[in-house]
Amino acid sequence: MSFGSKKDILDIEDILDEDAKEEKEEVSAEESTEDDEKEAKKAARKEKREKREQRKAEKEQRREKVGEVKDYYDEDEIDRDDPVRMGEFVWSILLASIPIVNIICLCVWAFGKNAKPSKKNWARAKLIWVLVGTVIGAILGAFFIGLMAAVG
């Protein structure tokens, strides 16, 4: 029984070595891809951290220019460009349904600087409707009082 010549055995060993090299190259390519992804994530985190630090530095500069400014909202916690969430609207509508309190809250939200734009626009529209309702109620009230005085 013959296993082949020495040349055949060396050819087989070369083929096996080439296969092993290709596997190593594939593994190293996958590792480099994973390393690239890790580096990209690190870079993104670093960029976010730098932006946050820049916002803090800008906020400190504004405070130095203006003096001690009382911020009701911390810019890092609430972004005023975000839309108003449903929970905020539920509480806003509840407060807007209480007499006297509604006018105060609507004025604060409509003309205050710390309100989100969507809430500010809603408060302005609601305030207009409250004023229209008040004017119509006053006209109807005066009409019915005059009618009662004429009858009675």
Side-chain angles (χ1 to χ4, degrees):
M1 198 173 214
S2 169
F3 289 106
S5 67
K6 191 173 187 177
K7 184 181 177 193
D8 291 339
I9 293 172
L10 290 175
D11 287 342
I12 292 172
E13 286 178 353
D14 288 341
I15 291 171
L16 292 175
D17 287 342
E18 288 177 12
D19 289 344
K21 285 180 184 178
E22 288 176 4
E23 285 182 21
K24 285 181 183 178
E25 289 174 359
E26 288 176 6
V27 169
S28 66
E30 289 175 6
E31 288 176 356
S32 66
T33 304
E34 290 175 3
D35 291 341
D36 292 342
E37 290 175 5
K38 288 179 184 178
E39 291 297 322
K41 287 180 182 178
K42 284 182 183 179
R45 283 193 298 256
K46 184 177 180 182
E47 187 177 324
K48 284 183 181 179
R49 194 176 316 117
E50 289 173 354
K51 284 182 180 179
R52 194 176 323 124
E53 291 172 1
Q54 184 180 4
R55 281 195 312 252
K56 286 181 182 180
E58 289 172 356
K59 186 176 180 180
E60 287 300 320
Q61 288 175 351
R62 284 195 308 269
R63 282 195 175 159
E64 288 175 4
K65 287 180 182 177
V66 176
E68 190 61 32
V69 176
K70 184 175 181 181
D71 284 336
Y72 292 102
Y73 298 110
D74 188 13
E75 289 180 6
D76 291 333
E77 290 179 19
I78 296 175
D79 187 10
R80 289 188 186 90
D81 294 334
D82 287 344
V84 179
R85 294 182 301 221
M86 185 188 67
E88 292 178 68
F89 263 124
V90 169
W91 285 109
S92 299
I93 291 169
L94 177 70
L95 286 174
S97 65
I98 301 171
I100 308 298
V101 174
N102 63 352
I103 296 174
I104 296 168
C105 289
L106 290 172
C107 287
V108 169
W109 294 327
F111 306 114
K113 67 175 186 171
N114 292 327
K116 294 180 180 181
S118 57
K119 191 172 188 177
K120 186 177 282 198
N121 290 333
W122 172 80
R124 288 176 179 171
K126 182 77 172 170
L127 193 58
I128 290 169
W129 279 111
V130 167
L131 293 175
V132 167
T134 303
V135 169
I136 291 173
I139 292 170
L140 289 176
F143 175 74
F144 283 114
I145 289 175
L147 187 65
M148 293 301 276
V151 172

